[in-house]
Amino acid sequence: FFQKTLTAVKNWFTLFGWSNGQNPISIPHSLRRDICKAQMTSSHEKDFKQNLGKDTKTLYDMLFHLSGQLLPGITLSQSLPLDPVERMLQLHRQHSTLLAFLKSQGAYLPHILPEFLLEPDDYKRWIKVQTVLKVDVKNSDIFSNKHLFILEDSTFEKMSKRAWTDLLLQIYKVFVLPRVSSHSVTDLSNLEGVQNMPRIKSEPLSSNIYSPYERTILTWLNEHYEKNRKTVWKDCQKGEVPPMRWIVNFDRDLLDGLVLAAQLAAYCPYLIATHFVRMYTNPRTPEQFLHNCLILVNAMHAVSLAIDIKV
């Protein structure tokens, strides 16, 4: 499940996370590597700059594209010291600023520490520096890191991959999902036959799982499924019209492909006769679920949806 989530996140941010088109990313490698566009020595030494390329895009370019905001004290052409320890300390400060900024926007990231976003070698330098500080100033207020996690190489890589994936998911939540508007969503109580269906509440505190924007999407899914299920599958070849259902999550309720097919049919009704009539309306076996999903993917390809969806 986690690997599928990581793949979906990587595909979305590759396609839509950047200005001026696609920018392939890998999680966490390219995000850690391309955090800054240049490196330079300290001010005492002769200036030295190693450009990663004017077209190199960093995490800060992504954030600026999605939010229109720059992190406090950080520019799009941020540079780093050449000294490895100084570079690591600056990156740690930048990651701390990034996490604080996202939390101020509503992101939920209590499990991610700035050091989890570092490169493996920088993480080792961080542990070494913090261990020395802890020994030298054991009883001093200077050392404020009460929880120092010393991870093996393989464990750190897993933690880093998870941290960067969760970071991108929260960036999507706070900067992309709020664009969803509820103005065009029909009140379900106005649809014939669903007056007794429980409504999905939009109040911010009505769910500790989904945000108001996610619940708006659930309402939209319910609306189109109920409006279209009798139209889409009135002439279905593999069963009767699917029954009414209450869609309350984004995993189990979408597994059989019927709900997503109803959404697509609402905007591309010509796909009904060529694709959707061949779907199982009451699938029970893995093969029938796969059959439906293959038809749905083929329908998306038929209308050239710019999403890299594979089964």
Side-chain angles (χ1 to χ4, degrees):
F1 173 80
F2 174 70
Q3 186 59 44
K4 289 181 179 179
T5 301
L6 184 148
T7 300
V9 170
K10 181 180 70 173
N11 288 345
W12 191 93
F13 279 92
T14 290
L15 292 169
F16 308 115
W18 314 85
S19 60
N20 302 322
Q22 301 180 18
N23 181 49
I25 65 169
S26 59
I27 303 174
H29 306 293
S30 69
L31 296 172
R32 296 187 311 204
R33 181 189 67 232
D34 299 338
I35 196 67
C36 289
K37 294 185 178 180
Q39 295 178 336
M40 62 177 58
T41 63
S42 64
S43 57
H44 314 278
E45 305 173 16
K46 184 179 179 180
D47 287 344
F48 170 82
K49 184 177 291 187
Q50 177 183 355
N51 289 317
L52 296 177
K54 64 179 181 179
D55 295 327
T56 300
K57 297 180 181 179
T58 72
L59 177 70
Y60 307 123
D61 293 298
M62 177 203 294
L63 282 173
F64 185 72
H65 171 63
L66 294 177
S67 70
Q69 302 180 62
L70 292 174
L71 271 63
I74 297 178
T75 65
L76 292 180
S77 57
Q78 190 75 14
S79 61
L80 293 170
L82 189 63
D83 178 75
V85 175
E86 290 297 321
R87 182 179 67 243
M88 175 274 296
L89 292 174
Q90 179 171 322
L91 280 173
H92 192 275
R93 287 192 294 269
Q94 290 180 197
H95 293 329
S96 298
T97 300
L98 170 65
L99 293 173
F101 169 73
L102 292 176
K103 290 175 183 177
S104 72
Q105 302 296 314
Y108 186 71
L109 298 165
H111 58 299
I112 297 180
L113 298 177
E115 51 265 34
F116 295 160
L117 304 176
L118 295 170
E119 290 270 20
D121 289 343
D122 284 334
Y123 172 73
K124 293 175 182 177
R125 294 186 184 101
W126 167 257
I127 293 298
K128 184 176 180 180
V129 169
Q130 296 305 306
T131 303
V132 172
L133 281 175
K134 193 169 186 178
V135 171
D136 291 346
V137 288
K138 187 179 298 183
N139 298 318
S140 171
D141 291 337
I142 297 175
F143 186 80
S144 59
N145 189 3
K146 299 178 181 179
H147 303 289
L148 184 62
F149 294 94
I150 303 177
L151 306 175
E152 297 293 334
D153 291 351
S154 60
T155 303
F156 172 76
E157 274 301 312
K158 293 177 182 178
M159 180 67 76
S160 184
K161 182 182 292 187
R162 181 62 183 265
W164 278 104
T165 302
D166 289 350
L167 185 81
L168 292 178
L169 284 170
Q170 291 298 308
I171 288 175
Y172 183 89
K173 185 186 82 171
V174 299
F175 294 130
V176 180
L177 273 185
R179 301 174 189 173
V180 175
S181 172
S182 61
H183 296 302
S184 61
V185 178
T186 304
D187 189 339
L188 285 178
S189 62
N190 294 329
L191 296 177
E192 182 181 358
V194 297
Q195 284 85 353
N196 296 325
M197 177 184 289
R199 297 183 60 190
I200 296 174
K201 298 180 180 179
S202 59
E203 291 79 5
L205 299 180
S206 63
S207 172
N208 62 351
I209 299 176
Y210 294 131
S211 68
Y213 314 108
E214 290 169 308
R215 296 198 295 278
T216 297
I217 295 175
L218 287 174
T219 299
W220 173 72
L221 291 172
N222 277 284
E223 172 196 346
H224 280 304
Y225 177 76
E226 185 53 35
K227 285 176 63 177
N228 295 321
R229 64 184 177 88
K230 295 180 181 179
T231 302
V232 175
W233 291 287
K234 65 179 180 180
D235 299 320
C236 59
Q237 302 170 4
K238 298 183 182 293
E240 302 175 347
V241 172
M244 182 177 67
R245 66 169 73 173
W246 190 31
I247 304 154
V248 295
N249 59 65
F250 293 102
D251 44 16
R252 185 172 55 193
D253 289 340
L254 305 184
L255 280 177
D256 60 12
L258 296 175
V259 174
L260 293 178
Q263 316 311 307
L264 193 53
Y267 301 96
C268 306
Y270 50 84
L271 292 172
I272 296 174
T274 58
H275 292 77
F276 301 143
V277 293
R278 296 184 285 112
M279 297 178 76
Y280 287 97
T281 55
N282 188 26
R284 298 184 180 278
T285 67
E287 292 77 14
Q288 292 175 345
F289 276 73
L290 177 60
H291 172 89
N292 282 1
C293 291
L294 286 172
I295 289 177
L296 180 62
V297 170
N298 289 335
M300 290 181 173
H301 289 165
V303 295
S304 300
L305 278 179
I307 304 175
D308 184 23
I309 297 180
K310 300 176 182 178
V311 176

